[in-house]
Amino acid sequence: FKHANSYTTNQTTKHGHYDAIVALGGGSTIDTAKAANLYSCYPPNNFYDYVNPPLGKGLPVPGPLTPLIAIPTTAGTGSETTGVAIFDDTPTKSKTGIAHRRLKATLGIVDPDNIRSLTPSVAKYSGIDVLCHAMESYTAIPYNRRPSGKPPSPILRPAYQGSNPISDVWSIHALKECTEYLPRVVENLHSDEEARSKMCLAASSAGMGFGNAGVHLCHGMSYAVASQVKGDFWVDGYQRMDCGRDNEKDSGGKHGLVPHGLSVVINAPAVFRFTGTPMSVMNDAAMSPAEEYSMDRHVECATILANARMKRRGSTAANRVISEKAMREKPGEALSNELLELMNDLNIPIGIRSLGY
């Protein structure tokens, strides 16, 4: 991350400003290009000036950046549509980022042929990230109920606004497409062009959804899971890379990896069981309008996953969709259970113990 920032700044100094920056790769590559673009245009006094609190100051981007063309080679992060750049902060062994609308790419080029060479594992875990983007942004606190209220100035408006009518359109579309086509793209990535195309569009759609609405606990909890990876834990299908000297010193030459999508979805069933259980019900009280709004959204997501499961497995006595009434009695349980069914079908580990924790 810092190397890319330094390289871009030095090249700009030697040859004048770029006409544009091209980011070709997955979400990490595109996010790195966003940061390099920012740091070369407006070098800060301290690396952490633009970094989100509490690690950094979270200073706003001062002005326009160089045009950035983002070409994703995974169907996952939707980074070609978002104004965030996420990175591992190795000194603190944490994961954080930079967020501002000016970081967004000027142009995104999304081509399903660019993901044809992915391994099934990379397709699976980048794709499950799409699913979580969609569900988290759709079930996020609404934009007009944010506890922090209205910022004192438009420039201080956060990149993530909370669920809103426009993001909802993108998020629900992405969720429907992902539940249907993710299992297909994992099974027949190279030959199923329709599934690749649908997942690419789902990733971008979810990016436009969560890029404005935001995500919540699944992603928030994923940062610790990914940054505190235990030993040399690895997932087959991901290329092993040489780690830096600092990591080698700390881990005896071993460097593990929990893919981002896995670190997100591993806690998602517990998260939605929690967010889909209103506090008023726990206290034997009537639900507030805000809680009813949230429960409706959990039921809607559970229904979409359940219908996709029926289509995927076929209609049998053992494979059925529970009634809407039953879902409404326990929305969190319904959504959590449907997500676990999908994870089982995709052979995704359940619980952080399976990752070595």
Short mmCIF file of all heavy atoms in Angstrom, two decimals, residues 151-190:
data_model
loop_
_atom_site.label_atom_id
_atom_site.label_comp_id
_atom_site.label_asym_id
_atom_site.label_seq_id
_atom_site.Cartn_x
_atom_site.Cartn_y
_atom_site.Cartn_z
N PRO A 151 -24.66 15.78 9.54
CA PRO A 151 -23.34 16.40 9.76
C PRO A 151 -23.42 17.92 9.62
O PRO A 151 -24.29 18.44 8.90
CB PRO A 151 -22.47 15.77 8.66
CG PRO A 151 -23.44 15.38 7.59
CD PRO A 151 -24.70 14.97 8.30
N PRO A 152 -22.52 18.65 10.28
CA PRO A 152 -22.57 20.12 10.24
C PRO A 152 -22.24 20.70 8.86
O PRO A 152 -22.60 21.83 8.58
CB PRO A 152 -21.52 20.53 11.28
CG PRO A 152 -20.60 19.35 11.39
CD PRO A 152 -21.47 18.15 11.18
N SER A 153 -21.55 19.91 8.03
CA SER A 153 -21.17 20.40 6.70
C SER A 153 -21.25 19.25 5.70
O SER A 153 -20.94 18.10 6.04
CB SER A 153 -19.74 20.96 6.74
OG SER A 153 -19.26 21.21 5.44
N PRO A 154 -21.64 19.52 4.44
CA PRO A 154 -21.70 18.45 3.44
C PRO A 154 -20.38 17.73 3.24
O PRO A 154 -20.37 16.53 2.94
CB PRO A 154 -22.12 19.20 2.16
CG PRO A 154 -22.85 20.40 2.65
CD PRO A 154 -22.16 20.80 3.92
N ILE A 155 -19.26 18.44 3.40
CA ILE A 155 -17.96 17.80 3.18
C ILE A 155 -17.68 16.74 4.24
O ILE A 155 -16.86 15.84 4.04
CB ILE A 155 -16.83 18.86 3.14
CG1 ILE A 155 -15.58 18.26 2.48
CG2 ILE A 155 -16.51 19.36 4.55
CD1 ILE A 155 -14.49 19.28 2.24
N LEU A 156 -18.37 16.83 5.39
CA LEU A 156 -18.19 15.87 6.48
C LEU A 156 -19.21 14.73 6.42
O LEU A 156 -19.23 13.88 7.30
CB LEU A 156 -18.28 16.58 7.83
CG LEU A 156 -17.23 17.66 8.09
CD1 LEU A 156 -17.50 18.36 9.42
CD2 LEU A 156 -15.82 17.07 8.06
N ARG A 157 -20.02 14.72 5.38
CA ARG A 157 -21.01 13.66 5.25
C ARG A 157 -20.28 12.33 5.03
O ARG A 157 -19.41 12.23 4.17
CB ARG A 157 -21.92 13.94 4.06
CG ARG A 157 -23.10 12.97 3.96
CD ARG A 157 -24.01 13.37 2.82
NE ARG A 157 -23.38 13.14 1.53
CZ ARG A 157 -23.96 13.41 0.36
NH1 ARG A 157 -25.16 13.95 0.35
NH2 ARG A 157 -23.32 13.16 -0.77
N PRO A 158 -20.60 11.31 5.80
CA PRO A 158 -19.88 10.04 5.67
C PRO A 158 -20.18 9.36 4.34
O PRO A 158 -21.23 9.59 3.72
CB PRO A 158 -20.41 9.20 6.84
CG PRO A 158 -21.76 9.79 7.13
CD PRO A 158 -21.64 11.25 6.85
N ALA A 159 -19.23 8.52 3.90
CA ALA A 159 -19.44 7.79 2.65
C ALA A 159 -20.63 6.85 2.76
O ALA A 159 -21.36 6.62 1.78
CB ALA A 159 -18.17 7.02 2.29
N TYR A 160 -20.84 6.29 3.94
CA TYR A 160 -21.94 5.36 4.16
C TYR A 160 -23.10 6.10 4.84
O TYR A 160 -22.96 6.62 5.95
CB TYR A 160 -21.49 4.20 5.04
CG TYR A 160 -20.51 3.26 4.38
CD1 TYR A 160 -19.73 2.40 5.15
CD2 TYR A 160 -20.36 3.22 2.99
CE1 TYR A 160 -18.83 1.50 4.55
CE2 TYR A 160 -19.47 2.35 2.39
CZ TYR A 160 -18.71 1.50 3.17
OH TYR A 160 -17.83 0.62 2.58
N GLN A 161 -24.27 6.13 4.18
CA GLN A 161 -25.40 6.93 4.64
C GLN A 161 -26.43 6.14 5.45
O GLN A 161 -27.27 6.72 6.12
CB GLN A 161 -26.13 7.52 3.42
CG GLN A 161 -25.25 8.37 2.54
CD GLN A 161 -24.81 9.63 3.22
OE1 GLN A 161 -25.64 10.39 3.71
NE2 GLN A 161 -23.52 9.87 3.29
N GLY A 162 -26.41 4.81 5.37
CA GLY A 162 -27.50 4.00 5.90
C GLY A 162 -28.41 3.58 4.76
O GLY A 162 -28.36 4.14 3.66
N SER A 163 -29.24 2.58 5.00
CA SER A 163 -30.12 2.10 3.92
C SER A 163 -31.01 3.24 3.43
O SER A 163 -31.44 4.10 4.20
CB SER A 163 -30.99 0.94 4.43
OG SER A 163 -31.86 1.35 5.46
N ASN A 164 -31.25 3.25 2.13
CA ASN A 164 -32.01 4.33 1.51
C ASN A 164 -32.70 3.78 0.26
O ASN A 164 -32.33 2.72 -0.24
CB ASN A 164 -31.09 5.51 1.18
CG ASN A 164 -29.99 5.12 0.21
OD1 ASN A 164 -30.19 5.07 -0.99
ND2 ASN A 164 -28.80 4.81 0.75
N PRO A 165 -33.71 4.47 -0.25
CA PRO A 165 -34.50 3.91 -1.35
C PRO A 165 -33.70 3.58 -2.61
O PRO A 165 -34.03 2.62 -3.31
CB PRO A 165 -35.53 5.01 -1.64
CG PRO A 165 -35.67 5.74 -0.34
CD PRO A 165 -34.30 5.71 0.27
N ILE A 166 -32.66 4.35 -2.90
CA ILE A 166 -31.88 4.08 -4.11
C ILE A 166 -30.98 2.86 -3.91
O ILE A 166 -30.93 1.96 -4.75
CB ILE A 166 -31.03 5.31 -4.50
CG1 ILE A 166 -31.93 6.52 -4.71
CG2 ILE A 166 -30.20 5.01 -5.74
CD1 ILE A 166 -32.99 6.34 -5.77
N SER A 167 -30.27 2.82 -2.79
CA SER A 167 -29.41 1.66 -2.50
C SER A 167 -30.22 0.37 -2.42
O SER A 167 -29.75 -0.70 -2.80
CB SER A 167 -28.65 1.88 -1.19
OG SER A 167 -27.67 2.88 -1.33
N ASP A 168 -31.46 0.48 -1.90
CA ASP A 168 -32.30 -0.71 -1.78
C ASP A 168 -32.50 -1.40 -3.11
O ASP A 168 -32.51 -2.64 -3.20
CB ASP A 168 -33.67 -0.33 -1.19
CG ASP A 168 -33.59 0.07 0.27
OD1 ASP A 168 -32.54 -0.16 0.90
OD2 ASP A 168 -34.59 0.61 0.79
N VAL A 169 -32.68 -0.62 -4.17
CA VAL A 169 -32.91 -1.19 -5.51
C VAL A 169 -31.71 -2.03 -5.93
O VAL A 169 -31.85 -3.17 -6.40
CB VAL A 169 -33.16 -0.06 -6.54
CG1 VAL A 169 -33.25 -0.64 -7.95
CG2 VAL A 169 -34.44 0.70 -6.20
N TRP A 170 -30.51 -1.48 -5.75
CA TRP A 170 -29.29 -2.19 -6.14
C TRP A 170 -29.06 -3.42 -5.26
O TRP A 170 -28.68 -4.49 -5.76
CB TRP A 170 -28.09 -1.25 -6.02
CG TRP A 170 -28.10 -0.10 -6.97
CD1 TRP A 170 -28.28 1.21 -6.66
CD2 TRP A 170 -27.93 -0.16 -8.40
NE1 TRP A 170 -28.23 1.98 -7.80
CE2 TRP A 170 -28.01 1.17 -8.88
CE3 TRP A 170 -27.71 -1.19 -9.31
CZ2 TRP A 170 -27.88 1.48 -10.23
CZ3 TRP A 170 -27.58 -0.88 -10.65
CH2 TRP A 170 -27.66 0.44 -11.10
N SER A 171 -29.30 -3.28 -3.96
CA SER A 171 -29.00 -4.36 -3.03
C SER A 171 -29.91 -5.57 -3.24
O SER A 171 -29.46 -6.71 -3.25
CB SER A 171 -29.12 -3.86 -1.58
OG SER A 171 -28.19 -2.82 -1.34
N ILE A 172 -31.20 -5.33 -3.40
CA ILE A 172 -32.13 -6.44 -3.61
C ILE A 172 -31.87 -7.13 -4.95
O ILE A 172 -31.90 -8.37 -5.05
CB ILE A 172 -33.59 -5.94 -3.53
CG1 ILE A 172 -33.98 -5.76 -2.07
CG2 ILE A 172 -34.55 -6.90 -4.20
CD1 ILE A 172 -34.00 -7.05 -1.26
N HIS A 173 -31.56 -6.35 -5.98
CA HIS A 173 -31.21 -6.95 -7.27
C HIS A 173 -29.98 -7.84 -7.12
O HIS A 173 -29.97 -8.99 -7.61
CB HIS A 173 -30.94 -5.87 -8.31
CG HIS A 173 -30.37 -6.39 -9.59
ND1 HIS A 173 -31.13 -7.05 -10.54
CD2 HIS A 173 -29.09 -6.38 -10.08
CE1 HIS A 173 -30.36 -7.41 -11.55
NE2 HIS A 173 -29.13 -7.02 -11.31
N ALA A 174 -28.96 -7.35 -6.45
CA ALA A 174 -27.74 -8.13 -6.26
C ALA A 174 -28.00 -9.40 -5.46
O ALA A 174 -27.46 -10.47 -5.77
CB ALA A 174 -26.68 -7.28 -5.56
N LEU A 175 -28.85 -9.30 -4.43
CA LEU A 175 -29.14 -10.46 -3.60
C LEU A 175 -29.84 -11.55 -4.40
O LEU A 175 -29.49 -12.73 -4.31
CB LEU A 175 -30.00 -10.05 -2.41
CG LEU A 175 -30.41 -11.16 -1.44
CD1 LEU A 175 -29.19 -11.85 -0.85
CD2 LEU A 175 -31.30 -10.60 -0.33
N LYS A 176 -30.82 -11.17 -5.20
CA LYS A 176 -31.54 -12.15 -6.02
C LYS A 176 -30.62 -12.82 -7.03
O LYS A 176 -30.67 -14.05 -7.22
CB LYS A 176 -32.71 -11.48 -6.72
CG LYS A 176 -33.84 -11.05 -5.79
CD LYS A 176 -34.95 -10.34 -6.55
CE LYS A 176 -36.09 -9.94 -5.63
NZ LYS A 176 -37.15 -9.20 -6.35
N GLU A 177 -29.78 -12.04 -7.68
CA GLU A 177 -28.88 -12.61 -8.68
C GLU A 177 -27.83 -13.51 -8.03
O GLU A 177 -27.51 -14.59 -8.54
CB GLU A 177 -28.18 -11.48 -9.45
CG GLU A 177 -29.10 -10.58 -10.24
CD GLU A 177 -29.67 -11.27 -11.46
OE1 GLU A 177 -30.65 -12.03 -11.33
OE2 GLU A 177 -29.13 -11.06 -12.56
N CYS A 178 -27.31 -13.07 -6.89
CA CYS A 178 -26.24 -13.82 -6.24
C CYS A 178 -26.73 -15.17 -5.71
O CYS A 178 -26.05 -16.19 -5.86
CB CYS A 178 -25.66 -12.98 -5.10
SG CYS A 178 -24.12 -13.63 -4.42
N THR A 179 -27.91 -15.19 -5.10
CA THR A 179 -28.42 -16.45 -4.56
C THR A 179 -28.67 -17.49 -5.65
O THR A 179 -28.54 -18.69 -5.42
CB THR A 179 -29.72 -16.23 -3.77
OG1 THR A 179 -30.66 -15.52 -4.60
CG2 THR A 179 -29.47 -15.43 -2.51
N GLU A 180 -28.98 -17.01 -6.84
CA GLU A 180 -29.23 -17.94 -7.94
C GLU A 180 -27.97 -18.35 -8.68
O GLU A 180 -27.80 -19.51 -9.04
CB GLU A 180 -30.22 -17.32 -8.94
CG GLU A 180 -30.53 -18.23 -10.13
CD GLU A 180 -31.62 -17.70 -11.03
OE1 GLU A 180 -32.23 -16.66 -10.70
OE2 GLU A 180 -31.88 -18.34 -12.08
N TYR A 181 -27.07 -17.40 -8.91
CA TYR A 181 -25.96 -17.66 -9.82
C TYR A 181 -24.62 -17.96 -9.14
O TYR A 181 -23.71 -18.49 -9.79
CB TYR A 181 -25.78 -16.49 -10.80
CG TYR A 181 -26.93 -16.38 -11.76
CD1 TYR A 181 -27.94 -15.44 -11.57
CD2 TYR A 181 -27.02 -17.24 -12.85
CE1 TYR A 181 -29.01 -15.35 -12.44
CE2 TYR A 181 -28.09 -17.16 -13.73
CZ TYR A 181 -29.08 -16.22 -13.52
OH TYR A 181 -30.14 -16.15 -14.39
N LEU A 182 -24.47 -17.65 -7.85
CA LEU A 182 -23.21 -17.97 -7.19
C LEU A 182 -22.93 -19.47 -7.18
O LEU A 182 -21.82 -19.90 -7.53
CB LEU A 182 -23.18 -17.40 -5.77
CG LEU A 182 -21.94 -17.75 -4.93
CD1 LEU A 182 -20.66 -17.32 -5.63
CD2 LEU A 182 -22.04 -17.11 -3.54
N PRO A 183 -23.89 -20.33 -6.79
CA PRO A 183 -23.60 -21.77 -6.85
C PRO A 183 -23.23 -22.24 -8.26
O PRO A 183 -22.36 -23.11 -8.41
CB PRO A 183 -24.92 -22.40 -6.38
CG PRO A 183 -25.55 -21.35 -5.53
CD PRO A 183 -25.22 -20.06 -6.19
N ARG A 184 -23.85 -21.66 -9.27
CA ARG A 184 -23.54 -22.04 -10.65
C ARG A 184 -22.14 -21.61 -11.05
O ARG A 184 -21.42 -22.36 -11.72
CB ARG A 184 -24.58 -21.44 -11.60
CG ARG A 184 -25.88 -22.19 -11.66
CD ARG A 184 -26.90 -21.52 -12.55
NE ARG A 184 -26.38 -21.17 -13.88
CZ ARG A 184 -27.11 -20.62 -14.84
NH1 ARG A 184 -28.40 -20.33 -14.60
NH2 ARG A 184 -26.58 -20.35 -16.01
N VAL A 185 -21.74 -20.40 -10.66
CA VAL A 185 -20.42 -19.92 -11.08
C VAL A 185 -19.32 -20.70 -10.37
O VAL A 185 -18.23 -20.91 -10.93
CB VAL A 185 -20.30 -18.40 -10.84
CG1 VAL A 185 -19.87 -18.07 -9.43
CG2 VAL A 185 -19.33 -17.76 -11.83
N VAL A 186 -19.58 -21.15 -9.14
CA VAL A 186 -18.58 -21.96 -8.43
C VAL A 186 -18.44 -23.33 -9.08
O VAL A 186 -17.35 -23.87 -9.20
CB VAL A 186 -18.97 -22.09 -6.94
CG1 VAL A 186 -18.04 -23.08 -6.24
CG2 VAL A 186 -18.90 -20.74 -6.25
N GLU A 187 -19.55 -23.88 -9.54
CA GLU A 187 -19.54 -25.22 -10.11
C GLU A 187 -19.01 -25.25 -11.54
O GLU A 187 -18.29 -26.17 -11.92
CB GLU A 187 -20.96 -25.80 -10.08
CG GLU A 187 -21.03 -27.25 -10.57
CD GLU A 187 -22.42 -27.83 -10.44
OE1 GLU A 187 -23.32 -27.14 -9.93
OE2 GLU A 187 -22.61 -28.99 -10.85
N ASN A 188 -19.36 -24.23 -12.33
CA ASN A 188 -18.98 -24.24 -13.75
C ASN A 188 -18.47 -22.86 -14.17
O ASN A 188 -19.02 -22.23 -15.10
CB ASN A 188 -20.18 -24.64 -14.63
CG ASN A 188 -20.65 -26.05 -14.37
OD1 ASN A 188 -19.90 -26.99 -14.53
ND2 ASN A 188 -21.91 -26.18 -13.95
N LEU A 189 -17.45 -22.39 -13.50
CA LEU A 189 -16.95 -21.04 -13.74
C LEU A 189 -16.53 -20.82 -15.19
O LEU A 189 -16.87 -19.82 -15.81
CB LEU A 189 -15.76 -20.76 -12.81
CG LEU A 189 -15.06 -19.41 -13.00
CD1 LEU A 189 -15.98 -18.27 -12.60
CD2 LEU A 189 -13.77 -19.36 -12.20
N HIS A 190 -15.79 -21.77 -15.75
CA HIS A 190 -15.20 -21.56 -17.07
C HIS A 190 -16.24 -21.65 -18.20
O HIS A 190 -16.14 -20.93 -19.19
CB HIS A 190 -14.08 -22.58 -17.31
CG HIS A 190 -13.04 -22.59 -16.23
ND1 HIS A 190 -12.16 -21.55 -16.06
CD2 HIS A 190 -12.77 -23.48 -15.25
CE1 HIS A 190 -11.38 -21.81 -15.02
NE2 HIS A 190 -11.74 -22.97 -14.51
#
